[in-house]
Every structure is written in structure tokens, then in C-alpha cells.
Amino acid sequence: IDIEGLSVIAQQILTIQQAVAEGVDKFTFDGTQLRLDRTCAIFVTMNPNYAGRTELPDNLKALFRPVSMIVPDFVFITEILLYAEGFSEALPLSRKLIKCFQLASEQLSKQNHYDFGLRAIKTVLTVAGSLKRQAP
């Protein structure tokens, strides 16, 4: 979504947040009268260093509270995925695979189209599981 589109979204979210703060049952949203559902919520997940992502405009950032996330345990996640794909020796395999991905990330080109994150690991594990099931 381009910056102009995100700014429009910021105005729309602000309208919804104001209706919630006022405690109304109905509010006007872009010229349409809507019922306010108090059980809904709006969340934004960001990975600002990920290839192809744009930063949020300040007017949109101001509408949300930031929450810090920790780096996931890649070895543990990979171990579980390996077990799920039918591998019995998942822990040593997960350690080796993650080390391979870390080395690739550190030593190969830093171009944006290279992805050594969980999505790429999941893809490799899914294919490995498929190959294992084809030739047990």
C-alpha cells in the first residue's frame, strides 16, 4: 500500500477510534451510518527491515501503541516442524539447518530478494517432508 493510501487508512481508523472513545452505538464512516461493534479491534504488524516494506506514516503510527517482539527461537521452531513432517531426529537436523541459514544470511549478498527467515525455512521443511513421504 502506498503512502497516500496509508494516510487515508489513518483517517478512517481515527474515525473508528473516536467513535469508540465517545461510546456511541452508531457513527458516520465515509458518509455511511454504521453500527459500532465494540468487540472488534485493529492491529498492525510490521517487519520494518523486511524487503519491500514501507514505513508507516506518522499520522498512522500515532494511532497505535508499539509492542516489542523478541526474536523467535529458530532451532526450536524448526525442530517442531521437522517432527511434524515425520523426521525422528529433529533436534540435530534443526541445529544444522539453522546454522546453514545463518551462514548463508551472513556470507551471501545482502540483496533484498534473498530471504533466510522463517518463511524460507518453512518452505524448505515442507519440501523436505514431502520428499521424505515420497521415499520413506
Side-chain angles (χ1 to χ4, degrees), residues 90-132:
L91 182 58
L93 284 173
S94 66
R95 287 181 179 145
K96 289 176 185 178
L97 184 67
I98 295 306
K99 187 50 124 177
C100 179
F101 269 77
Q102 285 174 340
L103 289 171
S105 175
E106 293 166 3
Q107 295 182 7
L108 294 177
S109 171
K110 301 292 182 199
Q111 295 178 37
N112 287 340
H113 60 272
Y114 289 128
D115 179 11
F116 300 106
L118 281 175
R119 185 176 292 124
I121 293 168
K122 171 74 168 129
T123 302
V124 168
L125 296 176
T126 301
V127 171
S130 176
L131 292 172
K132 180 173 177 48

Side-chain angles (χ1 to χ4, degrees), residues 77-87 89-90 93-94 125:
I77 293 168
T78 302
E79 179 186 7
I80 299 304
L81 290 171
L82 282 166
Y83 279 128
E85 292 292 347
F87 290 86
E89 295 295 321
L93 284 173
S94 66
L125 296 176

Side-chain angles (χ1 to χ4, degrees), residues 20 35-43:
V20 170
R35 184 182 60 83
L36 181 62
D37 181 354
R38 298 198 182 285
T39 63
C40 77
I42 302 169
F43 299 91

